[in-house]
Amino acid sequence: MDKMKKKEYEKLLEPLQLELNNVARWLSKTGKRMMVLLEGRDTAGKGGVINTISERLNPRQVHTVALPKPTEREATQWYFQRYVAHLPAAGELVLFDRSWYNRAGVEKVMGYCSDAEYHEFLAQAPLFEKLLVDDGILLFKYWLAVDQKYQEERFAERAQDPLKRWKLSPVDLESRNLYEDYGRARDAMFHATHTPHAPWYMVEFNDQRRGRLNLIRHLLDLVPDYKLPDEALELPSLTGKPSKERYDGPVKPVTDHY
C-alpha cells in the first residue's frame, strides 16, 4: 500500500481533531480521567501520534509524560511509584510516551532488570491497572507496530537530520540488532497483561500518517458517549476603538529581523 500523501492526511485529520476537542470538553464537563499508553519499537512513531493528539488541545488539560531513566532514589521505590504521580486528575488526559511497560520491553531485552523483577512486574501490572480502572480512570494501551525495513529507514533519516539526531540514543542504536528479541518480549508482555479490564490494541505504523489516523479513530470509538451540545459563543462589542500597544519605560520591542 502506498504511503498516504500529506494533503489527504491533513484533510482526514481535521475532523478527528475536532472530535478530540469534543472529548476534551467532555472530560472537563464530567470530571472523567483518561490516560493513553503509547508503546512500540524505537522509531515506531509514538511521539508523532502524541503530538497529533495534543496539538489542538488545551495544554493545561492534556499532559504528555516521557520519563527519563530512574534516579538512584526512584530505583529503590516500588516500580510503579514514580508513574503514580503522573496519573490524571479530574478532567485531564495524560498521554504516556512509553510507560511502566519499559520493564517488559527495554529493561528485559537490555538486561536492565533482573528476571525476578521482570516476572514480578508481569504479575503486578494487571493488578495495578485493575485498581486504576476500578477507580474510574479510562485506560487505553496501544502498541505501534513497525517492520524493521521501515525502522531502519527512520534510523537513517534521524542520523542524517541534525534536528532529529537527539532522538538517537545508544540504546536505540543497540536495539537495531535486537529486533527479534523485542518481538518476543512484546509477545510475552501481551500474554501476561492483555486483560478484559485493560486490553492491548495494536496499530500498524509502517505508514505513520495512516497509523495516526487509524489509532485516533479507534481511540475515539472506545471513548464513551462524549458528544455534548454545542455552546454558542458570542463576543460582545468593544466599548471603544481598538487600542495599540504603547510602551512607557526602558523595555522596547526586539528589532524586526524578518
Side-chain angles (χ1 to χ4, degrees):
M1 185 181 296
D2 293 336
K3 289 189 175 181
M4 183 175 286
K5 301 296 184 183
K6 183 178 181 181
K7 189 173 182 179
E8 180 186 4
Y9 166 72
E10 291 176 343
K11 180 181 178 181
L12 293 170
L13 176 61
E14 185 175 358
L16 295 180
Q17 290 188 320
L18 286 171
E19 286 194 60
L20 286 169
N21 265 275
N22 290 337
V23 170
R25 194 158 64 96
W26 173 77
L27 289 171
S28 182
K29 290 286 187 181
T30 62
K32 297 287 188 182
R33 295 163 292 161
M34 180 173 163
M35 57 193 299
V36 183
L37 311 188
L38 283 304
E39 296 287 345
R41 300 175 184 277
D42 298 317
T43 79
K46 297 177 291 296
V49 73
I50 286 174
N51 289 339
T52 303
I53 291 171
S54 63
E55 65 180 347
R56 298 295 184 91
L57 301 179
N58 185 345
R60 296 181 181 86
Q61 180 187 12
V62 180
H63 309 289
T64 298
V65 179
L67 298 184
K69 177 182 176 181
T71 64
E72 286 187 23
R73 182 174 183 275
E74 287 173 334
T76 68
Q77 297 173 342
W78 178 47
Y79 179 72
F80 296 92
Q81 188 169 334
R82 72 181 188 136
Y83 295 98
V84 171
H86 300 279
L87 298 180
E92 293 181 345
L93 166 61
V94 176
L95 306 167
F96 277 88
D97 185 347
R98 296 194 185 276
S99 66
W100 44 86
Y101 282 102
N102 264 348
R103 175 135 296 177
V106 174
E107 292 189 21
K108 164 63 176 173
V109 175
M110 301 301 294
Y112 295 157
C113 66
S114 67
D115 284 343
E117 289 171 329
Y118 168 71
H119 289 294
E120 183 178 56
F121 168 81
L122 292 182
Q124 289 187 355
L127 303 177
F128 176 63
E129 291 168 2
K130 185 69 162 57
L131 291 173
L132 301 180
V133 173
D134 285 351
D135 199 57
I137 291 178
L138 299 170
L139 173 62
F140 305 108
K141 305 187 302 190
Y142 284 96
W143 178 271
L144 281 53
V146 58
D147 294 340
Q148 193 168 25
K149 169 189 173 182
Y150 299 101
Q151 186 185 44
E152 280 294 291
E153 289 176 0
R154 293 169 197 173
F155 275 136
E157 181 188 6
R158 290 180 180 184
Q160 296 167 9
D161 187 344
L163 298 179
K164 294 184 177 181
R165 210 166 290 159
W166 64 270
K167 295 183 177 183
L168 281 177
S169 71
V171 174
D172 296 333
L173 296 176
E174 199 170 344
S175 73
R176 292 178 58 234
N177 295 313
L178 299 171
Y179 186 90
E180 297 297 335
D181 298 85
Y182 274 98
R184 286 188 286 271
R186 175 207 59 214
D187 291 345
M189 178 185 77
F190 283 172
H191 280 298
T193 63
H194 178 66
T195 60
H197 59 270
W200 279 99
Y201 302 102
M202 184 160 54
V203 184
E204 183 183 294
F205 261 70
N206 287 335
D207 180 346
Q208 290 185 323
R209 288 172 181 161
R210 185 171 279 108
R212 290 173 201 154
L213 296 175
N214 285 330
L215 190 151
I216 294 171
R217 179 69 268 162
H218 185 272
L219 177 63
L220 289 167
D221 290 342
L222 288 178
V223 179
D225 187 8
Y226 54 83
K227 297 176 179 63
L228 296 173
D230 288 333
E231 297 177 350
L233 180 61
E234 293 186 9
L235 296 178
S237 300
L238 292 174
T239 56
K241 292 182 179 180
S243 298
K244 291 186 176 182
E245 286 275 18
R246 290 183 171 81
Y247 309 98
D248 182 14
V251 180
K252 302 298 180 186
V254 170
T255 302
D256 285 343
H257 292 282
Y258 305 99

